[in-house]
Amino acid sequence: MRRKLFAAVLAIVAAAGLTACGGNDDDPNVLKVGTEGTYSPFSYQHNGALTGYDVEVITAVADKLGRSVEFVQTPWDAIFAGLESKRFDLVANQVTASPARAEKYALSQPYTVSEGVIVTRQDTTDIASLADLNGKVCAQSTTSNWSKVAGDAGCKVEGVEGFVQAIQLLNTRRVDATVNDSLAVAEYTKQHSTNEVRVAGKTGEVSQQVFAARKDSQELIDQVNQALAELRADGTLARISEKYFGVDVSK
């Protein structure tokens, strides 16, 4: 009798485990995507809904794959930890391709090309290049590639959650500069019509932005690359780019 009772209990536990594994979290038709939701014009809230260049591009990619998208909003400094812990399948948040990231993650083909710029207050006169950042203080998301660029130039990095907070620290004179993507800076200045900050110089680097997945997800990245190729060929990437930037930033 004990054996039968024990076997019955095991059967119930096993059935419960199978039910859990077959839940929505493992739906192969859903692509889970990590994104900030606070990084305009790439991923941000508008009228209570998540939108932006990255949001539209990855949604178009998912459509090509025959999958729906579930966005998981995550602060930038926690976004790769979320990817590694399998909270989502992919990061869509202007991830800049680099050898270090390529070694650790599976990266897609680029879908954005931009350049780095140095932002200062309007009244700053002693910063015009990366060399001028030596000994200064820069507000940066500590896990971003721009943080490394600033740090390598000799700037002491003050950690922030995102670009908006970096500008706030800059305006309150707690830092001297911030380094970021030219497209993000242009969008911020357009939206805020601010005369307080300006682009003081360029980093001299052209950066390519990609989607990132875990190393064991190369098959997914191969599918994403095929979808990006199709979206580039049929003009969808150019259309989305022109909607947000007025030019095609996808090549």
Side-chain angles (χ1 to χ4, degrees), residues 117-218:
V117 293
I118 304 163
V119 180
T120 66
R121 291 182 297 277
Q122 284 284 0
D123 60 1
T124 298
T125 59
D126 60 345
I127 297 176
S129 67
L130 280 177
D132 296 330
L133 293 179
N134 188 34
K136 300 292 196 299
V137 181
C138 294
Q140 308 291 153
S141 296
T142 55
T143 58
S144 73
N145 66 298
W146 301 121
S147 178
K148 185 177 187 307
V149 169
D152 287 349
C155 206
K156 178 183 177 183
V157 171
E158 178 78 17
V160 295
E161 292 182 359
F163 181 63
V164 173
Q165 188 181 4
I167 294 297
Q168 290 171 346
L169 293 187
L170 188 58
N171 285 335
T172 57
R173 298 181 177 273
R174 290 177 56 188
V175 299
D176 303 301
T178 185
V179 179
N180 211 295
D181 180 277
S182 58
L183 298 175
V185 174
E187 175 67 11
Y188 180 87
T189 54
K190 181 177 73 174
Q191 291 294 331
H192 293 79
S193 300
T194 179
N195 293 319
E196 297 175 332
V197 299
R198 66 184 180 91
V199 173
K202 298 180 179 180
T203 66
E205 297 180 358
V206 173
S207 61
Q208 296 180 321
Q209 283 72 43
V210 297
F211 299 119
R214 291 180 295 278
K215 268 295 189 182
D216 61 3
S217 300
Q218 186 59 49

Side-chain angles (χ1 to χ4, degrees), residues 28-249:
N29 296 314
V30 176
L31 181 66
K32 284 192 170 184
V33 176
T35 193
E36 277 184 279
T38 58
Y39 190 34
S40 178
F42 307 105
S43 168
Y44 64 102
Q45 297 290 330
H46 180 68
N47 293 331
L50 186 66
T51 189
Y53 173 71
D54 284 55
V55 171
E56 288 202 27
V57 172
I58 195 58
T59 298
V61 167
D63 286 345
K64 288 287 187 183
L65 301 182
R67 301 172 71 173
S68 61
V69 181
E70 178 183 331
F71 289 102
V72 183
Q73 289 188 225
T74 307
W76 172 259
D77 284 346
I79 211 163
F80 285 102
L83 177 65
E84 292 164 8
S85 63
K86 300 186 178 182
R87 289 185 59 217
F88 33 83
D89 309 305
L90 199 72
V91 175
N93 206 93
Q94 289 293 291
V95 174
T96 299
S98 70
R101 283 180 176 154
E103 186 174 328
K104 194 170 184 180
Y105 304 103
L107 305 180
S108 75
Q109 293 298 312
Y111 63 97
T112 315
V113 178
S114 61
E115 62 181 342
V117 293
I118 304 163
V119 180
T120 66
R121 291 182 297 277
Q122 284 284 0
D123 60 1
T124 298
T125 59
D126 60 345
I127 297 176
S129 67
L130 280 177
D132 296 330
L133 293 179
N134 188 34
K136 300 292 196 299
V137 181
C138 294
Q140 308 291 153
S141 296
T142 55
T143 58
S144 73
N145 66 298
W146 301 121
S147 178
K148 185 177 187 307
V149 169
D152 287 349
C155 206
K156 178 183 177 183
V157 171
E158 178 78 17
V160 295
E161 292 182 359
F163 181 63
V164 173
Q165 188 181 4
I167 294 297
Q168 290 171 346
L169 293 187
L170 188 58
N171 285 335
T172 57
R173 298 181 177 273
R174 290 177 56 188
V175 299
D176 303 301
T178 185
V179 179
N180 211 295
D181 180 277
S182 58
L183 298 175
V185 174
E187 175 67 11
Y188 180 87
T189 54
K190 181 177 73 174
Q191 291 294 331
H192 293 79
S193 300
T194 179
N195 293 319
E196 297 175 332
V197 299
R198 66 184 180 91
V199 173
K202 298 180 179 180
T203 66
E205 297 180 358
V206 173
S207 61
Q208 296 180 321
Q209 283 72 43
V210 297
F211 299 119
R214 291 180 295 278
K215 268 295 189 182
D216 61 3
S217 300
Q218 186 59 49
E219 182 179 355
L220 171 60
I221 289 298
D222 291 342
Q223 294 170 356
V224 167
N225 285 340
Q226 178 60 40
L228 285 172
E230 293 175 11
L231 293 170
R232 186 170 280 108
D234 67 20
T236 300
L237 283 185
R239 177 182 55 77
I240 297 174
S241 292
E242 288 165 3
K243 173 182 176 179
Y244 284 96
F245 307 108
V247 295
D248 186 0
V249 301

